[in-house]
């Protein structure tokens, strides 16, 4: 069982920056790939970025490449999402999620498929004003 808690959301002006954290707990939490997803009002939840259990691989949605950076500190069981050059269209509830995958498969990159993630946090609101 893995528990995830997001923090760091808030209101920021367009062009600004915001950092999110995902605190994970559980006996084998460091084995999990962690993904960030977001859901805007009236829209489906979408993939943002993900990082493998050992930080060996990352994957970004095209809409955030070059602006967002994912990282993790397994000693602290925390995954970070640094968001720069924010746009109003980045406004959404941001969720982190855990997928036990590359630890066993040896794949270089984490999944971007929502249904493959087994555990989810409660989400944190990010609002970007124009």
């Amino acid at each position: 069982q893995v528990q995830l808690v997001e923090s760091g959301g808030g209101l920021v002006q367009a062009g600004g920056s915001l950092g999110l954290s995902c605190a994970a707990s559980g006996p084998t939490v460091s084995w999990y790939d962690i993904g960030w997803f977001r859901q805007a009002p009236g829209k489906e939840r979408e993939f943002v970025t993900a990082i493998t259990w050992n930080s060996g691989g990352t994957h970004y949605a095209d809409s955030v490449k070059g602006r967002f950076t994912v990282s993790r500190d397994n000693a602290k069981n925390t995954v970070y999402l640094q968001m720069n050059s924010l746009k109003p269209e980045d406004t959404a509830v941001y969720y982190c999620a855990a997928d036990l995958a590359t630890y066993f498969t040896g794949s270089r990159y984490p999944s971007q498929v929502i249904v493959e993630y087994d555990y989810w946090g409660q989400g944190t609101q990010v609002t970007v004003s124009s």
Side-chain angles (χ1 to χ4, degrees):
Q1 192 78 6
V2 174
Q3 293 81 41
L4 304 168
V5 179
E6 303 94 338
S7 61
L11 174 65
V12 63
Q13 288 189 332
S17 298
L18 204 59
L20 305 182
S21 297
C22 173
S25 60
T28 58
V29 66
S30 62
W31 296 359
Y32 283 74
D33 303 332
I34 300 295
W36 285 96
F37 298 81
R38 65 187 182 187
Q39 188 166 16
K43 295 188 177 181
E44 293 187 351
R45 192 168 299 189
E46 65 176 4
F47 172 79
V48 176
T49 183
I51 187 167
T52 58
W53 70 278
N54 61 353
S55 301
T58 57
H59 196 107
Y60 293 91
D62 289 342
S63 59
V64 306
K65 278 181 182 177
R67 299 189 298 122
F68 290 13
T69 302
V70 63
S71 61
R72 69 188 293 164
D73 183 343
N74 280 350
K76 297 181 179 180
N77 287 339
T78 302
V79 177
Y80 305 97
L81 179 62
Q82 180 62 38
M83 304 183 293
N84 298 328
S85 302
L86 283 161
K87 305 175 181 180
E89 51 263 44
D90 294 318
T91 295
V93 177
Y94 283 71
Y95 301 88
C96 62
D99 176 24
L100 186 58
T102 64
Y103 182 84
F104 290 110
T105 67
S107 298
R108 180 176 178 182
Y109 296 106
S111 173
Q112 58 179 321
V113 179
I114 291 176
V115 296
E116 294 185 0
Y117 285 79
D118 300 312
Y119 301 100
W120 291 80
Q122 83 289 348
T124 186
Q125 177 71 46
V126 172
T127 303
V128 184
S129 63
S130 57

